Amino acid sequence: MSVLSEFREAIAIHQRKDDEDYDEQISLPIDEREAKGVTMTNLKVVFVFFDHAPNQWCPQLNHPIKFIKSATIYSQNNISKFREGAQVVLSNGSHAFKMEIIEDTVDNFVLAPNDFDVKVCYLDSESYNQNNWEINIVKTDLTLKLLSATAGNLEADSIRLNKIEKLLGGKLENSSSSFFQYQRLNESQNRAIEKAVISPNFHLIQGPPGTGKTETIAHIAKILLDEGKNVFITAPTHTAINNCLNAISNQIRDKSKVVKIGEKYQAAEILTNEFITRKTRLPLESYKYNDELSREGIVIGGTPYCFCYPASKRLNHWEFEVALIDEAAQMSIPLAVSVMSKTDKLIFVGDHKQLDPIIHSGTGLSMFSESIFSRLVKLYPHEKSLLNISYRLNEKLIRIPNALFYNNELFSDSSLITSNQNIRSENYSEVLNHEDPKILYLHNEFDSQGRSPYEANIVAQLVNDLLSNGIILKNIGILTPYRAQVREIKKALNNVIGGIDTEDTEDLFIDTVDRMQGQERDYIIYSMSNSHPLESKRRLDFFYSPNRLNVAITRAIKKCIVIANYKVFDIIDEELAEVADFSNLKPMLDVFKDYYQLTTKIEEDATDEIW
């Protein structure tokens, strides 16, 4: 099957799967929808209104009818899966407003309509009902529109289509007779930069945890910019893009040459960076008449959705000479093809031993079988550069991930120290002060799946101990596989230390593992928050993902504490043999068995009182 044919089939499958998933969830009884986290009910809402029409596409309204600027949602028990950036429908009777979550705290949500949807988001500003509102998942078609636009682009560009065909088929010639030498970073980084610069079509850079892939990207971007090239910086998330742009701006220090495309809430990491220009959109025709932006090379950061019509035509008519794709191991092949359709040369940076993209399974299409990085590493093993020196993980912290995931090819930077600070703790002194910085703390409390108040309270007490010993909030990271456990941990912390989701605690990282990739903290606490995954036999491939485990245990600089019920590691193959797709699941379970054997374990005393 040709790439274009498979791509069009991927569009059809994506549409069908999205429709099926939405219809299945929205047809459930409301209590089941709430339990699954896709609906919230009985909400109090306070609206803020625009005084005038928010943009030129909005009609004039007669007072007291006004356009909605934002909506603050108050909920007594938020167990939803919703998070910042998600689109939802806020409804009450005849009112139904499509909005985006722009703020998510332990107490409430703040929603706001985007520029496109705001024209139909209005109501009586003086007499609306504040109570009995409901939030539901929304059926979105942004990916479908992006893929459809990409298919049209490729159909009209046979040269680029043929190049993509060869790349994905393992037949793209990539040799170069050029010579370039770089000596500013470590040897593995220098060699990766050299190959990335001279390769005519593409290069792959594998960056294991803490090996400086973002810094490597920044140096590559600087070289390309000095050559006068237009460079697109992209990734599956705005956070990853922002981190790259911060590093690039440190090299360039010229805001006319570094631009971020996106909304303000998608720019948290770069808001104070004076060397980055922020734009919600920058069509090529606008750029040509903008005297404040460079004409001699420019770096533009944005997600692949910048090329999607009608997503505000954020980068309409742009073509790039080079695209640098960060976290490429989290990008699906169809999404990557959308970037390929707009650029001549591609540099993929990622780590296929860390998190995979969320893609539709069981489709039978190779485009939905793995990430773009994983596919290309298999096809072109000799086109991959490995960054092999970790500036995060000392010799003790690197031992387990090195053995489990990297064939012991990684090395700790010689400057990293392994000493621990003495932490005074009434209940967890052994955990916090053990000479091994990687601890598996096992308990036997069976409270729930995906949401464990018991583990949340352990986390809260550990954090309180760290704070009591002078550890500051920005040096602590709290991870969990599940969004529901994030909320549970926030509630427990609010009871113990207070002020969660306020300015006083904004430096404390509390989120899912997926949101932590690419980041680090001195102290990492990982709550696995599933008391009996093997008994339920549901979503085992998610919970027992070796890649998610790898990310969780490689974020720490000083200490990594994993909290789990002992049943998580009570894995007996014979009892699981009837599970669907067990042959694929078994290697994943084996990684967890190996981790259990390699790590230092501390079992909770049955008499311990943590409540």
Side-chain angles (χ1 to χ4, degrees):
M1 184 184 298
S2 70
V3 164
L4 190 56
S5 297
E6 186 175 10
F7 198 81
R8 290 200 176 280
E9 188 170 341
I11 295 173
I13 289 174
H14 193 283
Q15 172 80 67
R16 187 177 73 249
K17 288 280 188 179
D18 279 0
D19 289 347
E20 289 173 354
D21 290 348
Y22 177 81
D23 292 342
E24 178 183 351
Q25 293 190 77
I26 210 68
S27 65
L28 293 171
I30 195 163
D31 57 337
E32 290 188 36
R33 298 208 312 269
E34 284 191 280
K36 283 182 171 290
V38 297
T39 290
M40 297 174 67
T41 60
N42 300 318
L43 303 173
K44 178 182 177 181
V45 180
V46 175
F47 290 99
V48 175
F49 298 93
F50 287 101
D51 290 330
H52 307 285
N55 59 50
Q56 65 198 64
W57 297 282
C58 295
Q60 293 298 319
L61 302 176
N62 295 322
H63 186 81
I65 307 300
K66 293 184 177 182
F67 289 103
I68 298 170
K69 187 174 186 179
S70 67
T72 300
I73 312 298
Y74 298 91
S75 171
Q76 294 296 319
N77 185 29
N78 185 353
I79 60 171
S80 74
K81 295 179 180 178
F82 302 131
R83 65 176 312 129
E84 288 179 5
Q87 290 189 321
V88 295
V89 171
L90 175 65
S91 60
N92 186 337
S94 61
H95 297 301
F97 306 125
K98 185 176 177 181
M99 295 189 171
E100 295 177 359
I101 300 173
I102 62 172
E103 186 177 329
D104 175 9
T105 72
V106 69
D107 294 319
N108 55 54
F109 279 144
V110 178
L111 314 181
N114 61 32
D115 290 346
F116 182 77
D117 294 316
V118 70
K119 63 180 180 291
V120 292
C121 294
Y122 53 83
L123 77 169
D124 190 321
S125 62
E126 296 180 352
S127 61
Y128 67 87
N129 181 8
Q130 289 189 350
N131 300 311
N132 300 316
W133 287 81
E134 183 175 309
I135 292 178
N136 280 286
I137 54 172
V138 65
K139 192 172 183 179
T140 62
D141 59 358
L142 194 59
T143 300
L144 180 66
K145 288 177 178 177
L146 173 64
L147 299 183
S148 298
T150 299
N153 292 336
L154 293 177
E155 201 166 46
D157 190 344
S158 59
I159 294 176
R160 192 162 278 165
L161 174 60
N162 181 57
K163 188 174 181 178
I164 295 172
E165 290 256 14
K166 288 183 177 179
L167 176 65
L168 296 180
K171 299 177 180 179
L172 185 61
E173 176 63 37
N174 199 43
S175 61
S176 172
S177 59
S178 301
F179 176 78
F180 174 69
Q181 190 171 20
Y182 202 72
Q183 296 181 330
R184 291 185 59 188
L185 301 176
N186 71 46
E187 184 177 354
S188 67
Q189 290 173 308
N190 290 336
R191 301 295 85 77
I193 291 169
E194 290 166 2
K195 291 179 180 178
V197 170
I198 67 173
S199 295
N201 294 312
F202 70 98
H203 190 58
L204 311 169
I205 300 175
Q206 183 183 2
T211 54
K213 69 178 181 64
T214 305
E215 189 69 10
T216 302
I217 288 171
H219 282 251
I220 294 172
K222 173 67 161 56
I223 294 167
L224 297 172
L225 194 63
D226 288 346
E227 294 175 352
K229 289 183 168 56
N230 292 343
V231 181
F232 184 52
I233 303 292
T234 190
T237 67
H238 285 279
T239 297
I241 296 166
N242 295 339
N243 290 338
C244 285
L245 293 179
N246 275 329
I248 291 169
S249 70
N250 286 338
Q251 294 293 320
I252 297 169
R253 305 183 74 80
D254 183 346
K255 68 180 299 183
S256 74
K257 295 186 176 183
V258 184
V259 180
K260 170 64 194 298
I261 305 298
E263 303 295 334
K264 183 178 180 179
Y265 71 87
Q266 298 165 334
E269 297 79 9
I270 62 172
L271 287 177
T272 60
N273 192 325
E274 62 180 319
F275 298 112
I276 298 176
T277 297
R278 289 193 298 109
K279 297 281 186 181
T280 55
R281 60 188 64 83
L282 186 64
L284 185 61
E285 52 271 26
S286 297
Y287 164 73
K288 289 178 178 178
Y289 296 101
N290 190 321
D291 295 333
E292 297 178 353
L293 297 178
S294 170
R295 297 289 183 278
E296 299 176 354
I298 191 167
V299 171
I300 298 179
T303 68
Y305 293 98
C306 287
F307 302 123
C308 172
Y309 181 85
S312 305
K313 298 184 179 180
R314 295 187 188 274
L315 285 177
N316 202 30
H317 296 142
W318 272 89
E319 301 279 334
F320 292 90
E321 292 162 278
V322 185
L324 273 157
I325 302 178
D326 190 22
E327 303 293 3
Q330 281 190 277
M331 185 171 285
S332 69
I333 294 174
L335 210 58
V337 170
S338 296
V339 178
M340 295 178 201
S341 72
K342 290 289 186 176
T343 193
D344 297 325
K345 174 177 171 176
L346 299 131
I347 300 169
F348 300 91
V349 187
D351 182 10
H352 52 302
K353 299 299 182 180
Q354 296 186 60
L355 288 171
D356 301 311
I358 299 173
I359 50 181
H360 292 301
S361 60
T363 65
L365 283 183
S366 64
M367 279 198 174
F368 286 136
S369 63
E370 57 192 332
S371 73
I372 184 63
F373 195 80
S374 180
R375 164 77 70 88
L376 295 180
V377 164
K378 292 176 183 175
L379 292 174
Y380 304 96
H382 300 299
E383 300 289 350
K384 184 196 77 175
S385 296
L386 173 69
L387 307 182
N388 64 6
I389 298 179
S390 178
Y391 296 94
R392 175 190 307 154
L393 305 175
N394 62 44
E395 290 183 356
K396 289 184 177 181
L397 286 169
I398 207 171
R399 178 179 61 87
I400 294 176
N402 211 0
L404 290 179
F405 304 107
Y406 299 107
N407 300 313
N408 291 310
E409 294 181 322
L410 303 185
F411 304 91
S412 292
D413 179 62
S414 58
S415 66
L416 295 176
I417 59 174
T418 59
S419 61
N420 290 324
Q421 177 178 340
N422 183 48
I423 304 294
R424 297 181 302 277
S425 171
E426 184 176 341
N427 296 314
Y428 299 104
S429 180
E430 184 183 7
V431 176
L432 292 168
N433 293 310
H434 198 287
E435 63 178 4
D436 191 334
K438 265 189 165 50
I439 298 296
L440 173 59
Y441 184 75
L442 296 167
H443 66 85
N444 54 16
E445 178 70 23
F446 293 88
D447 45 5
S448 67
Q449 293 179 346
R451 187 158 63 105
S452 171
Y454 191 78
E455 288 188 15
N457 278 276
I458 295 176
V459 171
Q461 292 200 28
L462 285 169
V463 171
N464 191 50
D465 286 339
L466 292 172
L467 296 178
S468 298
N469 284 268
I471 308 301
I472 58 177
L473 289 173
K474 72 176 183 179
N475 290 334
I476 302 172
I478 302 167
L479 313 181
T480 177
Y482 304 105
R483 185 66 186 159
Q485 183 67 356
V486 172
R487 301 191 191 286
E488 203 65 46
I489 290 171
K490 285 185 175 183
K491 287 192 290 185
L493 283 165
N494 221 26
N495 291 333
V496 174
I497 68 173
I500 297 301
D501 281 334
T502 67
E503 288 185 6
D504 292 337
T505 60
E506 63 183 356
D507 289 335
L508 176 62
F509 184 97
I510 315 170
D511 216 325
T512 59
V513 180
D514 302 56
R515 290 282 171 149
M516 187 61 171
Q517 181 157 315
Q519 301 186 63
E520 63 186 23
R521 295 294 187 275
D522 283 354
Y523 294 86
I524 290 293
I525 305 171
Y526 180 38
S527 168
M528 299 192 83
S529 57
N530 197 330
S531 297
H532 34 67
L534 293 166
E535 291 182 16
S536 69
K537 298 182 176 62
R538 293 180 61 251
R539 296 193 71 194
L540 291 181
D541 59 337
F542 173 87
F543 184 77
Y544 285 106
S545 162
N547 293 28
R548 184 167 283 102
L549 176 66
N550 185 25
V551 172
I553 65 175
T554 56
R555 303 302 100 193
I557 298 172
K558 293 183 177 179
K559 173 79 72 173
C560 176
I561 301 167
V562 177
I563 304 169
N565 185 285
Y566 76 95
K567 288 291 288 183
V568 166
F569 299 96
D570 188 17
I571 301 169
I572 302 173
D573 289 357
E574 291 75 16
E575 296 179 358
L576 300 168
E578 78 280 4
V579 173
D581 206 25
F582 178 69
S583 60
N584 291 326
L585 183 63
K586 186 180 184 309
M588 304 166 70
L589 296 172
D590 288 343
V591 171
F592 276 71
K593 292 179 187 177
D594 292 339
Y595 167 74
Y596 182 78
Q597 293 300 320
L598 289 169
T599 194
T600 296
K601 294 167 283 293
I602 296 177
E603 297 186 18
E604 181 180 87
D605 190 325
T607 62
D608 285 349
E609 294 289 339
I610 70 161
W611 289 88

